[in-house]
Amino acid sequence: MTKQIIITEVALRDGSHAVAHQYTAEQVTRVVRGLDAARVPYIEVSHGDGLGGSSLQYGLSGTNEMELIEAAVAACRNSKIAVLLLPGIGTVKELKEAAALGVKMARIGTHVTEADVSAQHIAKAKELGLETVGFLMMSHMAPVEKLVEQAKLMESYGADAVYMFDSAGALLPHQVKERVHALRQSLQVDIGFHGHNNLSLAMANTLAAIEEGAVRIDGSIRCLGAGAGNTQTEVLTAVLDQLGCQTGIDLYQIMDVAEEIVAPLLQVPQEITRDSLVLGYAGVYSSFQLHARRAAKQFGIDARDILIELGKRKVVGGQEDMIIDVAAELARSRAVVL
Amino acid sequence: MTKQIIITEVALRDGSHAVAHQYTAEQVTRVVRGLDAARVPYIEVSHGDGLGGSSLQYGLSGTNEMELIEAAVAACRNSKIAVLLLPGIGTVKELKEAAALGVKMARIGTHVTEADVSAQHIAKAKELGLETVGFLMMSHMAPVEKLVEQAKLMESYGADAVYMFDSAGALLPHQVKERVHALRQSLQVDIGFHGHNNLSLAMANTLAAIEEGAVRIDGSIRCLGAGAGNTQTEVLTAVLDQLGCQTGIDLYQIMDVAEEIVAPLLQVPQEITRDSLVLGYAGVYSSFQLHARRAAKQFGIDARDILIELGKRKVVGGQEDMIIDVAAELARSRAVVL
């Protein structure tokens, strides 16, 4: 493979989950300076759940994200700062504010079956002169045809690239291949991939995506991200170098940023724990875990059974009320068997 | 894929490196009981460098490995205990001792180009009535034909299975595929794979090996192993289940052992650090790292440059004296350029 791969570093956005959204402006400045010196093309900076995510429901930011974005922009000489916006959480108001601070890329994400809610935000981002990426989250939950249909919608709204997100780290490499292949067949714009490591397959899935033509890849330095974290940027840089792909990133420099700047920020290193493994295996959002644990206690069953059943039913964020129903049903069906 | 995959758990041998060879008999008993209840077929217990490894050079064991093996055998109802023997470190004497304690499998390993030194040990293990596995370490260092030739030697000595070890975590999935494919073409016995995670590819490489017909796989619970650790057993169990492969292992039980018994043993969780990434990228043994660092300081160059050059020259364990030569050469060539 001799390809140019464009990497976006997400440790200051997805990785915000790993530090309970407590990044300080000083930390962001140091990390961005390091990434910029390593020539990482794009660096995403936002609350873990995107612009406007700071809330009791999603977790309060320690520092206002606009301050963090401002610090990030100021620390860049080469890299471009990106922001994430999930329609329903963030609004056009915050997008404008971020653009005014010097952000160069907007990433607009929706659930894999709900691309239509991104139309106005993608249009607005383009109008603001931002490079605009659309992304489809929990892409394992939709059949391939649906994923392609939704990606085409984002393309039609003006997205410069469309990513598939394996948000729960649930996909297997052959499933990634099939999806990226189908996307490549049907779209003109760049295809991107964002993987999570819950099944220890973030790197495998990333390589599978690249093999099928994805050219934009999300990485997270030292694996910092929700769940078991993301494809580890400094390792990805090394692997792509071995494969003869170009990233433009300085390998030693990115290794040093990981070891000397990012690792010390972490109180708990990213590992594949029982909790993150269950999420990947079940294919559900991490926000279900606490609810499932409570319901499991109430009904005397294993929380894992609940999560796996929720995954089978393709329950999505916002449907947390179903967790009790599923737990009750499982408890009843067991009582009958016994 | 509908296949039966036979897993050997190596956390109590390879993982011994991760705890500086300080496992206690009580810890081994607890871990083995858990693994046994989860129905893991084989559990390897030895010093990290195999029987007889306890030494100033390789690290002194906190508890005599024969005590640990005895405790492991006593804790098993279903699982079988395996030991590792590297000819040159361990001897037939220790193999007999282990067999007398109730060990059921001997794993005899050599450098990928030195299978011939395993002949007597494989024969002896068979004579002792042990199931016997041969394995070829640092398999990335030999061309495919050489690997096959050496594997055939081990088969000819009587090995019941031959593993390829990606000891430095240096191989990429397509390279694993090519190697396992070639081994399958030429050998009658089972092919096995043992991966390390230095390039975040342990799981990807394991799946690549299985796809090409490997049926014996090493896993390490919670990733416990040398370098960045091994293919994570509990995650592998989940992934193989998703792929429709049979392991006979109870998924919830193995997850619980990982979380409740093994994770608390670890002072430092297994991560892909700068050091382990460099080893995988360079394809060299971890024992080179300290020497390279010293030489780098002496000659005012980057230790990574030394390790990468050692990898290119395929320098192996025992040739540590070359490290200074390489460092001096690199320093000279830079002086000329400047």
Coordinates of all heavy atoms in Angstrom, one line a residue, chain A residues 172-174 198-201 203-204 207 222 232 234-235 238-239 241-243 251-252 255-256 259-260 266 269-275 277-278 280-281 302 304-305 308, chain B residues 172-174 198-201 203-204 207 222 232 234-235 238-239 241-243 251-252 255-256 259-260 266 269-275 277-278 280-281 302 304-305 308:
Chain A
L172 N -16.2 -6.4 13.7 CA -15.1 -7.3 13.3 C -14.5 -6.8 12.0 O -15.2 -6.2 11.2 CB -15.6 -8.7 13.3 CG -16.3 -9.2 14.6 CD1 -16.9 -10.5 14.3 CD2 -15.3 -9.2 15.7
P173 N -13.2 -7.1 11.8 CA -12.6 -6.6 10.5 C -13.4 -6.9 9.2 O -13.5 -6.0 8.4 CB -11.2 -7.3 10.5 CG -10.9 -7.6 12.0 CD -12.3 -7.8 12.6
H174 N -13.9 -8.1 9.1 CA -14.6 -8.4 7.8 C -15.9 -7.5 7.7 O -16.3 -7.2 6.6 CB -14.9 -9.9 7.7 CG -16.0 -10.4 8.6 ND1 -15.8 -10.8 9.9 CD2 -17.3 -10.5 8.4 CE1 -16.9 -11.2 10.5 NE2 -17.9 -11.0 9.6
N198 N -12.7 -1.8 22.2 CA -13.3 -2.7 23.2 C -13.1 -4.2 22.9 O -13.0 -5.0 23.8 CB -14.8 -2.4 23.2 CG -15.1 -1.0 23.7 OD1 -14.6 -0.1 23.0 ND2 -15.9 -0.9 24.7
L199 N -12.9 -4.6 21.6 CA -12.6 -6.0 21.3 C -11.2 -6.2 20.9 O -10.8 -7.1 20.2 CB -13.6 -6.5 20.2 CG -15.1 -6.6 20.6 CD1 -15.9 -7.1 19.4 CD2 -15.3 -7.5 21.8
S200 N -10.4 -5.2 21.2 CA -8.9 -5.2 20.9 C -8.7 -5.3 19.4 O -7.7 -5.8 18.9 CB -8.3 -6.5 21.5 OG -6.9 -6.3 21.6
L201 N -9.7 -4.7 18.6 CA -9.6 -4.7 17.2 C -9.6 -3.3 16.5 O -9.7 -3.2 15.3 CB -10.9 -5.5 16.7 CG -10.8 -7.0 16.8 CD1 -12.2 -7.6 16.6 CD2 -9.8 -7.6 15.9
M203 N -7.0 -1.4 15.9 CA -6.0 -1.3 14.8 C -6.4 -2.2 13.6 O -6.2 -1.8 12.5 CB -4.7 -1.7 15.4 CG -3.5 -1.5 14.5 SD -3.2 0.3 14.2 CE -2.6 0.8 15.7
A204 N -6.8 -3.4 13.9 CA -7.2 -4.4 12.9 C -8.3 -3.7 12.0 O -8.3 -3.8 10.8 CB -7.7 -5.7 13.5
L207 N -6.9 -0.9 9.8 CA -6.2 -1.4 8.6 C -7.2 -2.0 7.6 O -7.0 -1.8 6.4 CB -5.2 -2.5 9.0 CG -4.1 -2.0 9.9 CD1 -3.0 -3.1 10.1 CD2 -3.4 -0.7 9.4
R222 N -2.0 7.5 23.0 CA -2.1 6.7 24.2 C -3.5 6.1 24.4 O -3.9 5.8 25.5 CB -1.7 7.6 25.4 CG -1.2 6.8 26.6 CD 0.2 6.2 26.3 NE 0.7 5.6 27.5 CZ 2.0 5.4 27.8 NH1 2.9 5.8 26.9 NH2 2.4 4.8 28.8
Q232 N -4.7 3.7 18.6 CA -3.6 4.5 19.3 C -2.8 5.2 18.2 O -2.0 4.5 17.5 CB -2.8 3.5 20.2 CG -2.0 4.2 21.2 CD -1.4 3.2 22.2 OE1 -1.9 2.1 22.5 NE2 -0.3 3.6 22.8
E234 N 0.1 7.0 18.0 CA 1.5 6.8 17.8 C 1.8 5.4 17.2 O 2.7 5.2 16.5 CB 2.3 7.1 19.0 CG 2.1 6.2 20.2 CD 0.9 6.5 21.1 OE1 -0.1 7.1 20.5 OE2 0.8 6.0 22.2
V235 N 1.0 4.4 17.6 CA 1.2 3.0 17.1 C 0.7 3.0 15.7 O 1.4 2.4 14.8 CB 0.4 2.0 18.0 CG1 0.7 0.6 17.5 CG2 0.8 2.2 19.5
A238 N 3.3 4.2 13.4 CA 4.4 3.2 13.2 C 3.9 2.1 12.2 O 4.7 1.7 11.3 CB 4.8 2.6 14.5
V239 N 2.7 1.7 12.4 CA 2.2 0.6 11.6 C 2.0 1.0 10.1 O 2.4 0.3 9.2 CB 0.9 0.0 12.1 CG1 0.2 -0.9 11.1 CG2 1.1 -0.7 13.5
D241 N 3.6 3.4 8.7 CA 5.0 3.5 8.1 C 5.5 2.2 7.6 O 6.0 2.0 6.5 CB 5.9 4.1 9.2 CG 7.3 4.2 8.8 OD1 7.6 5.1 8.0 OD2 8.1 3.3 9.2
Q242 N 5.2 1.1 8.4 CA 5.7 -0.2 8.0 C 5.0 -0.7 6.8 O 5.5 -1.4 6.0 CB 5.3 -1.3 9.1 CG 6.0 -1.0 10.5 CD 7.3 -1.7 10.6 OE1 8.0 -2.0 9.6 NE2 7.7 -1.9 11.9
L243 N 3.7 -0.2 6.6 CA 2.9 -0.6 5.4 C 3.2 0.2 4.2 O 2.6 0.1 3.2 CB 1.4 -0.6 5.8 CG 0.9 -1.7 6.7 CD1 -0.5 -1.4 7.2 CD2 0.9 -3.0 5.9
L251 N 7.4 10.2 13.5 CA 7.1 9.1 14.4 C 7.8 9.3 15.8 O 7.1 9.1 16.8 CB 7.7 7.8 13.8 CG 7.5 6.5 14.6 CD1 6.1 6.2 15.0 CD2 8.1 5.3 13.9
Y252 N 9.0 9.7 15.9 CA 9.6 9.9 17.2 C 8.9 10.9 18.0 O 8.7 10.8 19.2 CB 11.1 10.2 17.0 CG 12.0 9.1 16.6 CD1 11.6 7.8 16.3 CD2 13.4 9.3 16.6 CE1 12.4 6.8 16.0 CE2 14.3 8.3 16.2 CZ 13.8 7.1 15.9 OH 14.7 6.1 15.6
M255 N 5.6 9.7 19.4 CA 5.9 8.8 20.5 C 6.2 9.6 21.7 O 5.8 9.2 22.8 CB 7.1 7.9 20.2 CG 6.9 6.8 19.2 SD 8.6 6.1 18.9 CE 8.1 4.4 18.3
D256 N 7.0 10.6 21.6 CA 7.4 11.4 22.7 C 6.2 12.1 23.3 O 6.1 12.3 24.6 CB 8.5 12.4 22.3 CG 9.8 11.7 22.0 OD1 10.0 10.5 22.4 OD2 10.7 12.3 21.3
E259 N 4.3 9.6 25.4 CA 5.0 9.2 26.6 C 5.2 10.3 27.6 O 5.0 10.1 28.8 CB 6.4 8.6 26.3 CG 7.0 7.8 27.4 CD 6.4 6.4 27.6 OE1 5.7 5.9 26.7 OE2 6.6 5.9 28.7
E260 N 5.6 11.5 27.1 CA 6.0 12.5 28.1 C 4.9 13.5 28.4 O 4.9 14.2 29.4 CB 7.2 13.2 27.5 CG 8.4 12.3 27.4 CD 9.5 12.8 26.5 OE1 9.5 14.0 26.2 OE2 10.4 12.0 26.2
L266 N -3.0 10.9 32.6 CA -4.0 9.9 32.9 C -3.8 9.3 34.3 O -2.8 8.9 34.7 CB -3.7 8.7 31.9 CG -4.4 8.8 30.6 CD1 -4.0 7.6 29.7 CD2 -5.9 8.8 30.8
P269 N -4.7 4.3 33.3 CA -4.4 4.0 31.9 C -5.6 3.3 31.2 O -6.4 2.7 31.8 CB -3.2 3.1 32.0 CG -2.7 3.2 33.3 CD -3.9 3.5 34.2
Q270 N -5.6 3.4 29.9 CA -6.7 2.8 29.1 C -6.4 1.3 29.0 O -5.3 0.9 28.4 CB -6.7 3.4 27.7 CG -7.2 4.8 27.6 CD -8.7 4.9 27.7 OE1 -9.2 6.1 27.7 NE2 -9.5 3.9 27.6
E271 N -7.3 0.5 29.5 CA -7.1 -1.0 29.3 C -8.5 -1.5 28.8 O -9.5 -0.8 28.9 CB -6.9 -1.6 30.7 CG -5.6 -1.4 31.3 CD -5.6 -2.2 32.6 OE1 -6.2 -1.7 33.6 OE2 -5.0 -3.3 32.6
I272 N -8.5 -2.7 28.4 CA -9.7 -3.4 28.1 C -10.2 -4.1 29.3 O -9.7 -5.2 29.7 CB -9.6 -4.4 26.9 CG1 -9.0 -3.6 25.7 CG2 -11.0 -4.9 26.5 CD1 -8.7 -4.5 24.5
T273 N -11.1 -3.4 30.0 CA -11.6 -3.9 31.3 C -12.8 -4.8 31.0 O -13.3 -4.8 29.9 CB -12.0 -2.8 32.2 OG1 -13.1 -2.1 31.5 CG2 -10.9 -1.8 32.5
R274 N -13.3 -5.4 32.0 CA -14.6 -6.2 31.9 C -15.7 -5.3 31.3 O -16.4 -5.7 30.4 CB -15.0 -6.8 33.2 CG -16.3 -7.6 33.2 CD -16.5 -8.4 34.4 NE -16.4 -7.6 35.6 CZ -16.4 -8.1 36.9 NH1 -16.5 -9.4 37.1 NH2 -16.3 -7.3 37.9
D275 N -15.8 -4.1 31.9 CA -16.9 -3.3 31.5 C -16.8 -2.9 30.0 O -17.8 -2.9 29.3 CB -16.9 -2.0 32.3 CG -17.5 -2.2 33.7 OD1 -18.1 -3.2 33.9 OD2 -17.5 -1.2 34.5
L277 N -15.2 -4.4 27.7 CA -15.3 -5.6 26.8 C -16.8 -6.0 26.6 O -17.2 -6.3 25.5 CB -14.6 -6.8 27.5 CG -14.7 -8.2 26.8 CD1 -14.5 -8.2 25.3 CD2 -13.9 -9.2 27.5
V278 N -17.6 -5.9 27.7 CA -19.0 -6.2 27.6 C -19.7 -5.3 26.6 O -20.5 -5.7 25.8 CB -19.7 -6.1 29.0 CG1 -21.2 -6.2 28.9 CG2 -19.2 -7.2 29.9
G280 N -18.4 -3.7 24.0 CA -18.0 -4.1 22.7 C -18.7 -5.4 22.2 O -19.2 -5.5 21.1
Y281 N -18.8 -6.3 23.1 CA -19.4 -7.6 22.8 C -20.9 -7.4 22.6 O -21.5 -8.0 21.7 CB -19.1 -8.6 24.0 CG -19.7 -10.0 23.8 CD1 -19.0 -10.9 22.9 CD2 -20.8 -10.4 24.4 CE1 -19.5 -12.1 22.7 CE2 -21.3 -11.7 24.2 CZ -20.7 -12.6 23.4 OH -21.1 -13.8 23.2
D302 N -27.8 -11.1 35.8 CA -26.5 -10.6 35.5 C -26.6 -9.4 34.5 O -27.3 -9.5 33.5 CB -25.6 -11.7 34.8 CG -24.1 -11.3 34.7 OD1 -23.8 -10.2 34.3 OD2 -23.3 -12.2 35.1
R304 N -24.7 -8.2 32.5 CA -24.2 -8.5 31.1 C -25.3 -9.1 30.2 O -25.4 -8.8 29.0 CB -23.0 -9.5 31.2 CG -21.8 -8.9 31.8 CD -20.7 -9.9 32.0 NE -20.9 -10.7 33.1 CZ -20.0 -11.4 33.8 NH1 -18.7 -11.2 33.4 NH2 -20.2 -12.1 34.8
D305 N -26.2 -9.9 30.8 CA -27.3 -10.5 30.0 C -28.2 -9.3 29.5 O -28.7 -9.4 28.4 CB -28.1 -11.4 30.9 CG -27.4 -12.7 31.2 OD1 -26.6 -13.1 30.3 OD2 -27.6 -13.4 32.2
I308 N -26.4 -7.4 26.7 CA -26.3 -8.2 25.4 C -27.7 -8.2 24.8 O -27.9 -8.1 23.5 CB -25.8 -9.7 25.7 CG1 -24.3 -9.6 26.1 CG2 -26.1 -10.6 24.6 CD1 -23.7 -10.8 26.7
Chain B
L172 N 3.0 -7.9 10.8 CA 1.7 -7.3 10.3 C 0.8 -8.5 9.9 O 1.3 -9.6 9.5 CB 2.0 -6.4 9.2 CG 3.0 -5.3 9.5 CD1 3.4 -4.5 8.3 CD2 2.5 -4.3 10.6
P173 N -0.5 -8.3 9.9 CA -1.4 -9.4 9.6 C -1.1 -10.1 8.3 O -1.2 -11.3 8.2 CB -2.8 -8.7 9.6 CG -2.6 -7.5 10.5 CD -1.2 -7.0 10.3
H174 N -0.8 -9.4 7.2 CA -0.5 -10.1 6.0 C 0.7 -11.0 6.0 O 0.8 -12.0 5.4 CB -0.5 -9.1 4.8 CG 0.8 -8.3 4.7 ND1 0.9 -7.1 5.5 CD2 2.0 -8.4 4.1 CE1 2.1 -6.5 5.2 NE2 2.8 -7.3 4.4
N198 N 2.8 -5.2 20.7 CA 3.6 -4.0 20.6 C 3.1 -3.1 19.5 O 3.2 -1.8 19.7 CB 5.1 -4.4 20.4 CG 5.6 -5.1 21.5 OD1 5.1 -6.2 21.9 ND2 6.7 -4.7 22.1
L199 N 2.5 -3.6 18.5 CA 2.0 -2.7 17.4 C 0.5 -2.7 17.4 O -0.2 -2.4 16.4 CB 2.5 -3.2 16.0 CG 4.0 -3.0 15.8 CD1 4.4 -3.5 14.4 CD2 4.5 -1.6 16.0
S200 N -0.1 -3.1 18.6 CA -1.6 -3.1 18.7 C -2.2 -4.1 17.7 O -3.4 -3.9 17.3 CB -2.1 -1.7 18.6 OG -3.4 -1.6 19.1
L201 N -1.5 -5.1 17.3 CA -1.9 -6.1 16.3 C -2.0 -7.5 16.8 O -2.2 -8.4 16.0 CB -1.0 -6.0 15.1 CG -1.2 -4.7 14.2 CD1 0.0 -4.6 13.2 CD2 -2.5 -4.8 13.5
M203 N -4.4 -9.1 18.4 CA -5.7 -9.7 18.0 C -5.8 -9.8 16.5 O -6.3 -10.9 16.0 CB -6.9 -8.8 18.6 CG -8.2 -9.5 18.5 SD -8.4 -11.0 19.5 CE -8.4 -10.3 21.1
A204 N -5.4 -8.8 15.8 CA -5.5 -8.9 14.3 C -4.7 -10.0 13.8 O -5.1 -10.8 12.9 CB -5.0 -7.6 13.7
L207 N -6.3 -13.4 14.6 CA -7.4 -13.8 13.7 C -6.9 -14.1 12.3 O -7.4 -15.0 11.6 CB -8.4 -12.6 13.6 CG -9.1 -12.2 14.8 CD1 -10.2 -11.2 14.5 CD2 -9.7 -13.4 15.6
R222 N -5.9 -10.4 30.7 CA -5.6 -9.0 31.0 C -4.3 -8.5 30.3 O -3.7 -7.6 30.7 CB -5.5 -8.8 32.5 CG -5.7 -7.3 32.9 CD -7.1 -6.9 32.8 NE -7.4 -5.6 33.3 CZ -8.5 -5.2 33.8 NH1 -9.6 -6.0 33.8 NH2 -8.7 -3.9 34.2
Q232 N -5.2 -10.7 24.3 CA -5.9 -10.7 25.6 C -6.9 -11.9 25.7 O -7.9 -11.8 24.9 CB -6.5 -9.4 25.9 CG -6.9 -9.1 27.3 CD -7.3 -7.6 27.5 OE1 -6.9 -6.7 26.8 NE2 -8.1 -7.4 28.5
E234 N -9.5 -13.0 27.5 CA -10.9 -12.9 27.7 C -11.5 -12.1 26.5 O -12.7 -12.4 26.1 CB -11.2 -12.2 29.0 CG -10.8 -10.7 29.2 CD -9.3 -10.5 29.6 OE1 -8.5 -11.4 29.3 OE2 -9.0 -9.4 30.1
V235 N -10.8 -11.3 25.9 CA -11.3 -10.5 24.7 C -11.3 -11.5 23.5 O -12.2 -11.6 22.7 CB -10.4 -9.3 24.4 CG1 -10.9 -8.5 23.2 CG2 -10.3 -8.4 25.6
A238 N -14.3 -13.6 23.6 CA -15.5 -12.9 23.1 C -15.5 -12.8 21.6 O -16.5 -13.0 20.9 CB -15.6 -11.5 23.7
V239 N -14.3 -12.5 21.0 CA -14.2 -12.3 19.6 C -14.4 -13.6 18.8 O -15.2 -13.7 17.8 CB -12.9 -11.7 19.2 CG1 -12.6 -11.7 17.7 CG2 -12.8 -10.2 19.7
D241 N -16.1 -16.1 19.9 CA -17.5 -16.4 20.0 C -18.3 -15.6 18.9 O -19.2 -16.2 18.2 CB -18.0 -16.0 21.4 CG -19.5 -16.2 21.6 OD1 -19.9 -17.4 21.8 OD2 -20.2 -15.2 21.5
Q242 N -18.0 -14.4 18.7 CA -18.7 -13.6 17.7 C -18.4 -14.2 16.3 O -19.3 -14.1 15.4 CB -18.1 -12.2 17.6 CG -18.3 -11.4 18.9 CD -19.6 -10.6 19.0 OE1 -20.6 -11.0 18.3 NE2 -19.7 -9.6 19.8
L243 N -17.3 -14.8 16.1 CA -16.9 -15.4 14.8 C -17.4 -16.8 14.6 O -17.2 -17.4 13.6 CB -15.4 -15.4 14.6 CG -14.8 -14.0 14.3 CD1 -13.2 -14.1 14.4 CD2 -15.1 -13.5 12.9
L251 N -17.3 -17.5 28.9 CA -17.0 -16.1 28.7 C -17.1 -15.3 29.9 O -16.2 -14.5 30.3 CB -17.9 -15.5 27.5 CG -17.6 -14.0 27.2 CD1 -16.2 -13.7 26.8 CD2 -18.6 -13.5 26.1
Y252 N -18.2 -15.4 30.6 CA -18.4 -14.6 31.8 C -17.4 -14.9 32.9 O -16.8 -14.0 33.5 CB -19.8 -14.8 32.4 CG -21.0 -14.1 31.7 CD1 -20.8 -13.4 30.5 CD2 -22.3 -14.1 32.2 CE1 -21.8 -12.8 29.8 CE2 -23.3 -13.5 31.6 CZ -23.1 -12.9 30.4 OH -24.1 -12.3 29.7
M255 N -14.0 -13.5 32.0 CA -14.0 -12.0 32.2 C -13.9 -11.7 33.7 O -13.2 -10.8 34.1 CB -15.4 -11.4 31.8 CG -15.6 -11.3 30.3 SD -17.4 -10.8 30.2 CE -17.4 -10.0 28.5
D256 N -14.5 -12.5 34.5 CA -14.5 -12.3 36.0 C -13.1 -12.6 36.5 O -12.6 -11.9 37.4 CB -15.5 -13.2 36.7 CG -16.9 -12.7 36.4 OD1 -17.1 -11.6 35.9 OD2 -17.9 -13.5 36.6
E259 N -10.9 -9.6 35.7 CA -11.2 -8.4 36.4 C -11.0 -8.5 37.9 O -10.5 -7.6 38.6 CB -12.7 -8.0 36.2 CG -13.1 -6.6 36.7 CD -12.6 -5.5 35.7 OE1 -12.3 -5.8 34.6 OE2 -12.5 -4.4 36.2
E260 N -11.3 -9.7 38.5 CA -11.3 -9.8 39.9 C -10.1 -10.4 40.5 O -9.7 -10.2 41.6 CB -12.6 -10.6 40.4 CG -13.9 -9.8 40.1 CD -15.1 -10.6 40.1 OE1 -15.1 -11.7 40.6 OE2 -16.2 -10.1 39.6
L266 N -1.7 -6.6 39.3 CA -0.8 -5.8 38.5 C -0.5 -4.4 39.1 O -1.5 -3.7 39.4 CB -1.4 -5.5 37.1 CG -1.2 -6.6 36.0 CD1 -2.0 -6.3 34.8 CD2 0.3 -6.7 35.7
P269 N -0.6 -1.5 34.8 CA -1.3 -2.2 33.7 C -0.5 -2.3 32.5 O 0.4 -1.5 32.2 CB -2.6 -1.3 33.6 CG -2.6 -0.4 34.7 CD -1.2 -0.2 35.2
Q270 N -0.9 -3.2 31.6 CA -0.2 -3.4 30.3 C -0.7 -2.3 29.4 O -1.9 -2.3 29.1 CB -0.5 -4.8 29.8 CG 0.0 -5.9 30.5 CD 1.5 -6.2 30.2 OE1 2.1 -7.0 30.8 NE2 2.1 -5.5 29.2
E271 N 0.2 -1.5 28.9 CA -0.2 -0.5 27.9 C 0.9 -0.6 26.8 O 1.9 -1.2 27.0 CB 0.0 0.9 28.5 CG -1.1 1.3 29.4 CD -0.8 2.7 29.8 OE1 0.1 2.9 30.6 OE2 -1.5 3.6 29.3
I272 N 0.6 0.0 25.7 CA 1.6 0.1 24.6 C 2.3 1.4 24.9 O 1.9 2.5 24.6 CB 1.0 0.1 23.2 CG1 0.2 -1.2 23.1 CG2 2.2 0.1 22.2 CD1 -0.6 -1.3 21.7
T273 N 3.5 1.3 25.6 CA 4.3 2.5 25.9 C 5.3 2.8 24.8 O 5.4 2.0 23.8 CB 5.1 2.2 27.2 OG1 6.0 1.1 26.9 CG2 4.2 1.8 28.4
R274 N 6.0 3.8 24.9 CA 7.0 4.2 23.9 C 8.0 3.0 23.8 O 8.4 2.6 22.7 CB 7.7 5.5 24.3 CG 8.8 5.9 23.4 CD 9.3 7.3 23.6 NE 9.7 7.5 25.0 CZ 10.0 8.6 25.6 NH1 10.0 9.7 24.8 NH2 10.3 8.7 26.8
D275 N 8.4 2.5 24.9 CA 9.4 1.4 24.9 C 8.9 0.2 24.1 O 9.6 -0.4 23.3 CB 9.8 1.0 26.3 CG 10.8 2.0 26.9 OD1 11.3 2.9 26.2 OD2 11.1 1.8 28.1
L277 N 6.5 0.0 22.0 CA 6.2 0.3 20.6 C 7.5 0.3 19.8 O 7.6 -0.3 18.7 CB 5.6 1.7 20.5 CG 5.4 2.3 19.1 CD1 4.7 1.3 18.2 CD2 4.7 3.6 19.2
V278 N 8.6 0.8 20.4 CA 9.9 0.8 19.6 C 10.3 -0.6 19.4 O 10.8 -0.9 18.3 CB 11.0 1.6 20.4 CG1 12.3 1.4 19.8 CG2 10.6 3.1 20.5
G280 N 8.5 -3.3 19.0 CA 7.7 -3.9 17.9 C 8.1 -3.3 16.6 O 8.2 -4.0 15.6
Y281 N 8.3 -2.0 16.6 CA 8.6 -1.3 15.3 C 10.0 -1.8 14.8 O 10.2 -2.1 13.6 CB 8.6 0.2 15.5 CG 8.9 1.0 14.3 CD1 7.9 1.2 13.3 CD2 10.1 1.6 14.1 CE1 8.2 1.9 12.2 CE2 10.4 2.4 13.0 CZ 9.4 2.5 12.0 OH 9.6 3.3 10.9
D302 N 20.1 8.8 19.4 CA 18.8 8.4 19.9 C 18.8 6.8 20.0 O 19.1 6.1 19.0 CB 17.7 8.8 18.9 CG 16.3 8.7 19.5 OD1 16.0 7.6 20.1 OD2 15.5 9.7 19.5
R304 N 16.5 4.8 19.9 CA 15.6 4.2 18.9 C 16.3 3.9 17.6 O 16.0 2.9 16.9 CB 14.4 5.1 18.7 CG 13.5 5.2 19.9 CD 12.4 6.2 19.7 NE 12.8 7.6 19.9 CZ 12.1 8.6 20.2 NH1 10.8 8.4 20.4 NH2 12.5 9.8 20.3
D305 N 17.2 4.8 17.2 CA 18.0 4.6 16.0 C 18.8 3.3 16.1 O 18.9 2.6 15.1 CB 18.9 5.8 15.7 CG 18.1 7.0 15.2 OD1 17.0 6.8 14.6 OD2 18.5 8.1 15.5
I308 N 16.4 0.2 15.9 CA 15.9 0.0 14.5 C 17.0 -0.6 13.7 O 16.8 -1.5 12.9 CB 15.3 1.3 14.0 CG1 14.0 1.7 14.7 CG2 15.1 1.2 12.5 CD1 13.5 3.1 14.5

